[in-house]
Amino acid sequence: MSQRSITVLGATGSIGASTLDLIRRDRPNWRAVALTANGNAVELAKLAREFAAELAVVADETCLPALREALAGSGIEAAGGPAALIEAAARDAEVTVAAIVGCAGLAPTMAAIERGRVIALANKEALVSAGEVMTAAVARHGATLLPVDSEHNAIFQCLQGNDLEDVRWITLTASGGPFRDWSAEQLARATPAEAVRHPNWSMGAKISVDSATMFNKGLELIEAHHLFPVGLDKLRIIVHPQSVVHSMVEYRDGSTLAQLGPSDMRVPIASSLAYPARMETPCAPLDLAAIGELTFRAPDEVRFPATRLARAAALAGGAIPAVLNAANEIAVAAFLDGHISFTRIAAQVEDVLSRYAPPPPQSLADVLAVDAEARVRSRELTEAT
Ligand code: NAD
Ligand code: MG
């Protein structure tokens, strides 16, 4: 393999760290173009030095002096602010790992798409919010969108060499999160510390809360709807507490293909980085005898209404998934800050959805305007709680 250039948007996060761990083990094959973070200048500078990046960018401009100081004498360019983030994403790199959390990653991801190269997409909120706008840009610019989210990466692998028309079902597996066996009364009292303690995966705080509410699976349903256009009625969710089967595709002849692996994001990231080839990961081989049992059950949409809300949003299409996503981002932040209860997250999202139904966005600017307005409305509801 000849050396490939890579940009990591969200280099200091959980997905960013897993990506850079793989690159670290395969150094001769990679050249870092840009690494970005929100505000952790010290960590970002450390990574930029380690990987000899051309450019390091903090989205929060107030952290730029600290970044400059930490990079002094290194010859690495430092920049800050939203425009610099987009410029970093627009700089040519063969592979861009989109690993910013939230709709904050949308504009830079779109800038990377416009270069028409490979985008390894972890940032599900961007695709959920921009849906048609993003998939149209991918087609227009001839970019390759490779799903890093473990379920979508599994589905992508199970679809290789097959025809979407032959698909009977696509089944997304869900761990069910840390509260899958909790009663409604227990859920009402769930704390942020309990919500971020995921049984199988180690992830950033936002996606951990989303796993606990099942909004993560809801967002993934919308994500799958855009990535694999088989129709919403062919997309199903099943709870699989062991997180070994990462998702499945059933074909019309009755064959079901599944992708299995350890609960380690380095596996789907490696699959995207090396695609269509394969690369080594340090993950232990799957030991099914030690795991012993794989179990499955139907999701409970009474205790966890998020997947019901997401399915309705996907069905409505247009701007509605962006409203759902933005309302959820604000509600999750409010829950993490102790302002609202765990069960209020879904209630608040449903409230925003019932009051705000803007027309379908036609452009990135339209999506960002919907996102901004839905945030304001969700925040107002937090304040009224
Ligand atoms: P994280 O919180 O650990 O990291 C987020 C990264 O984004 C950090 O580098 C942070 O500095 C940066 N960032 C945060 N806010 C920003 C802003 N406003 N502007 C610019 N940069 C900002 O999150 P994570 O767990 O790594 O998740 C990243 C994305 O990948 C999310 O969309 C998540 O849903 C998705 N994802 C994560 C996992 C996982 O296992 N962690 C699995 C599947 C999908
Ligand atoms: Mg996932």
Side-chain angles (χ1 to χ4, degrees), residues 86-130:
I86 289 169
E87 277 169 44
R91 199 172 280 204
D92 196 37
E94 282 153 278
V95 184
T96 300
V97 179
I100 291 173
V101 59
C103 197
L106 175 57
T109 301
M110 289 290 284
I113 288 171
E114 285 172 15
R115 291 200 329 270
R117 302 277 212 153
V118 174
I119 315 294
L121 183 79
N123 182 200
K124 65 190 82 183
E125 297 91 347
L127 180 57
V128 166
S129 303

Short mmCIF file of all heavy atoms in Angstrom, two decimals, residues 86-130:
data_model
loop_
_atom_site.label_atom_id
_atom_site.label_comp_id
_atom_site.label_asym_id
_atom_site.label_seq_id
_atom_site.Cartn_x
_atom_site.Cartn_y
_atom_site.Cartn_z
N ILE A 86 -13.52 24.51 8.83
CA ILE A 86 -13.98 24.17 7.48
C ILE A 86 -12.81 24.16 6.49
O ILE A 86 -12.70 23.27 5.65
CB ILE A 86 -15.11 25.13 7.05
CG1 ILE A 86 -16.36 24.79 7.88
CG2 ILE A 86 -15.41 25.04 5.56
CD1 ILE A 86 -17.48 25.77 7.79
N GLU A 87 -11.91 25.12 6.66
CA GLU A 87 -10.72 25.13 5.79
C GLU A 87 -9.88 23.87 5.98
O GLU A 87 -9.34 23.32 5.02
CB GLU A 87 -9.85 26.35 6.08
CG GLU A 87 -10.32 27.61 5.36
CD GLU A 87 -9.60 28.84 5.89
OE1 GLU A 87 -8.37 28.78 6.09
OE2 GLU A 87 -10.29 29.85 6.12
N ALA A 88 -9.78 23.43 7.23
CA ALA A 88 -9.02 22.20 7.51
C ALA A 88 -9.67 21.02 6.79
O ALA A 88 -8.99 20.18 6.19
CB ALA A 88 -8.94 21.95 9.01
N ALA A 89 -11.00 20.96 6.86
CA ALA A 89 -11.72 19.84 6.24
C ALA A 89 -11.62 19.90 4.72
O ALA A 89 -11.67 18.88 4.04
CB ALA A 89 -13.18 19.87 6.67
N ALA A 90 -11.46 21.12 4.19
CA ALA A 90 -11.40 21.30 2.74
C ALA A 90 -10.01 21.03 2.19
O ALA A 90 -9.82 20.88 0.99
CB ALA A 90 -11.84 22.73 2.37
N ARG A 91 -9.02 20.97 3.06
CA ARG A 91 -7.65 20.71 2.61
C ARG A 91 -7.55 19.28 2.11
O ARG A 91 -8.10 18.37 2.71
CB ARG A 91 -6.69 20.94 3.78
CG ARG A 91 -5.28 21.14 3.30
CD ARG A 91 -4.39 21.55 4.44
NE ARG A 91 -4.51 22.97 4.75
CZ ARG A 91 -3.55 23.66 5.37
NH1 ARG A 91 -2.43 23.07 5.73
NH2 ARG A 91 -3.71 24.93 5.64
N ASP A 92 -6.85 19.07 1.03
CA ASP A 92 -6.89 17.75 0.41
C ASP A 92 -6.29 16.65 1.28
O ASP A 92 -5.15 16.76 1.74
CB ASP A 92 -6.20 17.77 -0.95
CG ASP A 92 -6.59 16.54 -1.76
OD1 ASP A 92 -7.77 16.13 -1.64
OD2 ASP A 92 -5.74 15.98 -2.46
N ALA A 93 -7.07 15.63 1.51
CA ALA A 93 -6.60 14.41 2.17
C ALA A 93 -7.38 13.27 1.53
O ALA A 93 -8.56 13.44 1.21
CB ALA A 93 -6.87 14.47 3.67
N GLU A 94 -6.71 12.14 1.34
CA GLU A 94 -7.42 11.04 0.68
C GLU A 94 -8.56 10.50 1.54
O GLU A 94 -9.61 10.11 1.03
CB GLU A 94 -6.43 9.92 0.33
CG GLU A 94 -5.61 10.24 -0.90
CD GLU A 94 -4.27 9.54 -0.88
OE1 GLU A 94 -3.35 10.04 -0.22
OE2 GLU A 94 -4.17 8.48 -1.51
N VAL A 95 -8.32 10.47 2.85
CA VAL A 95 -9.35 9.96 3.77
C VAL A 95 -9.63 11.01 4.83
O VAL A 95 -8.68 11.57 5.41
CB VAL A 95 -8.88 8.68 4.50
CG1 VAL A 95 -9.99 8.12 5.37
CG2 VAL A 95 -8.37 7.64 3.52
N THR A 96 -10.90 11.30 5.08
CA THR A 96 -11.27 12.17 6.19
C THR A 96 -12.11 11.36 7.15
O THR A 96 -13.13 10.78 6.75
CB THR A 96 -12.10 13.38 5.71
OG1 THR A 96 -11.31 14.13 4.79
CG2 THR A 96 -12.51 14.26 6.88
N VAL A 97 -11.69 11.29 8.40
CA VAL A 97 -12.51 10.63 9.41
C VAL A 97 -13.34 11.73 10.08
O VAL A 97 -12.80 12.66 10.68
CB VAL A 97 -11.64 9.89 10.44
CG1 VAL A 97 -12.51 9.24 11.51
CG2 VAL A 97 -10.79 8.82 9.74
N ALA A 98 -14.66 11.66 9.89
CA ALA A 98 -15.57 12.66 10.44
C ALA A 98 -16.02 12.17 11.81
O ALA A 98 -16.91 11.34 11.92
CB ALA A 98 -16.76 12.87 9.50
N ALA A 99 -15.36 12.67 12.86
CA ALA A 99 -15.59 12.15 14.21
C ALA A 99 -15.87 13.25 15.22
O ALA A 99 -15.58 13.12 16.41
CB ALA A 99 -14.41 11.30 14.66
N ILE A 100 -16.42 14.37 14.73
CA ILE A 100 -16.91 15.41 15.64
C ILE A 100 -18.26 14.93 16.15
O ILE A 100 -18.99 14.23 15.43
CB ILE A 100 -17.02 16.76 14.89
CG1 ILE A 100 -15.62 17.27 14.55
CG2 ILE A 100 -17.80 17.79 15.71
CD1 ILE A 100 -15.60 18.52 13.66
N VAL A 101 -18.60 15.27 17.38
CA VAL A 101 -19.91 14.87 17.90
C VAL A 101 -20.93 15.97 17.62
O VAL A 101 -20.64 17.15 17.75
CB VAL A 101 -19.83 14.52 19.42
CG1 VAL A 101 -19.33 15.70 20.25
CG2 VAL A 101 -21.19 14.03 19.93
N GLY A 102 -22.10 15.55 17.17
CA GLY A 102 -23.21 16.49 17.00
C GLY A 102 -23.25 17.16 15.64
O GLY A 102 -22.37 16.97 14.79
N CYS A 103 -24.27 17.98 15.48
CA CYS A 103 -24.45 18.70 14.22
C CYS A 103 -23.32 19.70 13.99
O CYS A 103 -23.14 20.20 12.88
CB CYS A 103 -25.82 19.39 14.23
SG CYS A 103 -26.36 19.89 12.60
N ALA A 104 -22.52 19.97 15.03
CA ALA A 104 -21.33 20.82 14.88
C ALA A 104 -20.39 20.26 13.82
O ALA A 104 -19.60 20.99 13.23
CB ALA A 104 -20.60 20.92 16.22
N GLY A 105 -20.48 18.97 13.56
CA GLY A 105 -19.60 18.35 12.56
C GLY A 105 -20.14 18.44 11.14
O GLY A 105 -19.46 18.02 10.20
N LEU A 106 -21.35 18.97 10.98
CA LEU A 106 -21.96 18.95 9.65
C LEU A 106 -21.22 19.79 8.62
O LEU A 106 -20.87 19.29 7.54
CB LEU A 106 -23.44 19.39 9.74
CG LEU A 106 -24.16 19.54 8.40
CD1 LEU A 106 -24.11 18.25 7.60
CD2 LEU A 106 -25.61 19.98 8.62
N ALA A 107 -20.98 21.06 8.93
CA ALA A 107 -20.35 21.94 7.92
C ALA A 107 -18.96 21.43 7.53
O ALA A 107 -18.65 21.34 6.33
CB ALA A 107 -20.31 23.39 8.42
N PRO A 108 -18.09 21.07 8.49
CA PRO A 108 -16.79 20.52 8.07
C PRO A 108 -16.93 19.22 7.28
O PRO A 108 -16.17 19.01 6.32
CB PRO A 108 -16.02 20.32 9.38
CG PRO A 108 -16.94 20.64 10.49
CD PRO A 108 -18.12 21.35 9.96
N THR A 109 -17.87 18.36 7.64
CA THR A 109 -18.04 17.11 6.89
C THR A 109 -18.47 17.42 5.46
O THR A 109 -17.97 16.81 4.50
CB THR A 109 -19.06 16.20 7.60
OG1 THR A 109 -18.59 15.93 8.92
CG2 THR A 109 -19.26 14.89 6.86
N MET A 110 -19.35 18.40 5.30
CA MET A 110 -19.78 18.79 3.95
C MET A 110 -18.60 19.34 3.16
O MET A 110 -18.46 19.07 1.95
CB MET A 110 -20.90 19.82 4.02
CG MET A 110 -22.23 19.26 4.51
SD MET A 110 -23.04 18.13 3.33
CE MET A 110 -23.68 19.32 2.15
N ALA A 111 -17.71 20.09 3.82
CA ALA A 111 -16.53 20.63 3.13
C ALA A 111 -15.64 19.48 2.66
O ALA A 111 -15.08 19.52 1.55
CB ALA A 111 -15.76 21.57 4.06
N ALA A 112 -15.52 18.45 3.48
CA ALA A 112 -14.71 17.29 3.09
C ALA A 112 -15.37 16.55 1.93
O ALA A 112 -14.69 16.10 1.00
CB ALA A 112 -14.51 16.36 4.29
N ILE A 113 -16.68 16.43 1.96
CA ILE A 113 -17.41 15.75 0.88
C ILE A 113 -17.15 16.45 -0.46
O ILE A 113 -16.97 15.80 -1.49
CB ILE A 113 -18.92 15.69 1.21
CG1 ILE A 113 -19.17 14.69 2.34
CG2 ILE A 113 -19.75 15.35 -0.04
CD1 ILE A 113 -20.58 14.71 2.90
N GLU A 114 -17.09 17.78 -0.41
CA GLU A 114 -16.91 18.55 -1.65
C GLU A 114 -15.59 18.26 -2.35
O GLU A 114 -15.43 18.52 -3.54
CB GLU A 114 -17.06 20.06 -1.37
CG GLU A 114 -18.53 20.41 -1.18
CD GLU A 114 -18.76 21.83 -0.70
OE1 GLU A 114 -17.82 22.65 -0.79
OE2 GLU A 114 -19.88 22.11 -0.24
N ARG A 115 -14.63 17.71 -1.61
CA ARG A 115 -13.37 17.33 -2.25
C ARG A 115 -13.48 16.04 -3.05
O ARG A 115 -12.56 15.68 -3.78
CB ARG A 115 -12.26 17.16 -1.20
CG ARG A 115 -11.82 18.44 -0.53
CD ARG A 115 -10.45 18.23 0.09
NE ARG A 115 -10.31 16.84 0.51
CZ ARG A 115 -10.63 16.35 1.70
NH1 ARG A 115 -11.09 17.14 2.62
NH2 ARG A 115 -10.47 15.07 1.97
N GLY A 116 -14.57 15.32 -2.86
CA GLY A 116 -14.80 14.12 -3.66
C GLY A 116 -13.90 12.95 -3.33
O GLY A 116 -13.59 12.13 -4.19
N ARG A 117 -13.45 12.87 -2.07
CA ARG A 117 -12.58 11.77 -1.66
C ARG A 117 -13.34 10.82 -0.73
O ARG A 117 -14.55 10.77 -0.75
CB ARG A 117 -11.34 12.33 -0.96
CG ARG A 117 -10.57 13.30 -1.82
CD ARG A 117 -9.64 12.57 -2.77
NE ARG A 117 -8.46 13.35 -3.01
CZ ARG A 117 -7.29 12.85 -3.33
NH1 ARG A 117 -7.14 11.55 -3.47
NH2 ARG A 117 -6.25 13.64 -3.55
N VAL A 118 -12.59 10.11 0.11
CA VAL A 118 -13.23 9.14 1.02
C VAL A 118 -13.55 9.81 2.36
O VAL A 118 -12.68 10.44 2.96
CB VAL A 118 -12.31 7.92 1.26
CG1 VAL A 118 -12.91 6.99 2.32
CG2 VAL A 118 -12.06 7.17 -0.04
N ILE A 119 -14.78 9.66 2.79
CA ILE A 119 -15.19 10.15 4.11
C ILE A 119 -15.57 8.93 4.94
O ILE A 119 -16.49 8.19 4.60
CB ILE A 119 -16.46 11.04 4.04
CG1 ILE A 119 -16.40 12.05 2.90
CG2 ILE A 119 -16.75 11.69 5.39
CD1 ILE A 119 -15.34 13.09 3.04
N ALA A 120 -14.83 8.70 6.02
CA ALA A 120 -15.20 7.66 6.98
C ALA A 120 -16.07 8.35 8.03
O ALA A 120 -15.58 9.15 8.84
CB ALA A 120 -13.96 7.05 7.61
N LEU A 121 -17.36 8.09 7.97
CA LEU A 121 -18.32 8.88 8.75
C LEU A 121 -18.68 8.22 10.08
O LEU A 121 -19.35 7.19 10.10
CB LEU A 121 -19.59 9.12 7.94
CG LEU A 121 -20.64 9.99 8.63
CD1 LEU A 121 -20.27 11.46 8.52
CD2 LEU A 121 -22.04 9.75 8.06
N ALA A 122 -18.26 8.84 11.19
CA ALA A 122 -18.74 8.41 12.51
C ALA A 122 -19.84 9.36 12.98
O ALA A 122 -20.75 8.96 13.68
CB ALA A 122 -17.59 8.42 13.51
N ASN A 123 -19.73 10.61 12.54
CA ASN A 123 -20.60 11.71 12.99
C ASN A 123 -22.03 11.54 12.47
O ASN A 123 -22.47 12.19 11.53
CB ASN A 123 -19.97 13.03 12.48
CG ASN A 123 -20.70 14.28 12.89
OD1 ASN A 123 -20.51 15.33 12.26
ND2 ASN A 123 -21.55 14.23 13.90
N LYS A 124 -22.79 10.64 13.13
CA LYS A 124 -24.13 10.31 12.65
C LYS A 124 -25.09 11.49 12.66
O LYS A 124 -25.96 11.61 11.81
CB LYS A 124 -24.71 9.15 13.45
CG LYS A 124 -24.96 9.44 14.92
CD LYS A 124 -25.30 8.17 15.68
CE LYS A 124 -24.07 7.41 16.05
NZ LYS A 124 -24.29 6.14 16.73
N GLU A 125 -24.91 12.42 13.65
CA GLU A 125 -25.84 13.55 13.74
C GLU A 125 -25.80 14.39 12.46
O GLU A 125 -26.81 14.99 12.07
CB GLU A 125 -25.50 14.44 14.95
CG GLU A 125 -25.65 13.74 16.31
CD GLU A 125 -24.36 13.08 16.79
OE1 GLU A 125 -23.41 12.93 15.98
OE2 GLU A 125 -24.30 12.71 17.98
N ALA A 126 -24.64 14.45 11.81
CA ALA A 126 -24.52 15.24 10.57
C ALA A 126 -25.40 14.63 9.48
O ALA A 126 -26.16 15.33 8.80
CB ALA A 126 -23.06 15.29 10.12
N LEU A 127 -25.33 13.32 9.33
CA LEU A 127 -26.13 12.67 8.29
C LEU A 127 -27.62 12.69 8.63
O LEU A 127 -28.47 12.88 7.76
CB LEU A 127 -25.64 11.23 8.08
CG LEU A 127 -26.37 10.41 7.02
CD1 LEU A 127 -26.33 11.10 5.64
CD2 LEU A 127 -25.78 9.00 6.91
N VAL A 128 -27.93 12.52 9.91
CA VAL A 128 -29.34 12.56 10.34
C VAL A 128 -29.93 13.94 10.02
O VAL A 128 -31.03 14.05 9.50
CB VAL A 128 -29.45 12.24 11.85
CG1 VAL A 128 -30.83 12.61 12.39
CG2 VAL A 128 -29.14 10.77 12.09
N SER A 129 -29.17 14.99 10.33
CA SER A 129 -29.69 16.35 10.15
C SER A 129 -29.76 16.73 8.68
O SER A 129 -30.71 17.37 8.24
CB SER A 129 -28.80 17.37 10.87
OG SER A 129 -28.72 17.05 12.22
N ALA A 130 -28.72 16.37 7.93
CA ALA A 130 -28.65 16.88 6.55
C ALA A 130 -29.20 15.89 5.53
O ALA A 130 -29.43 16.28 4.39
CB ALA A 130 -27.22 17.26 6.20
#
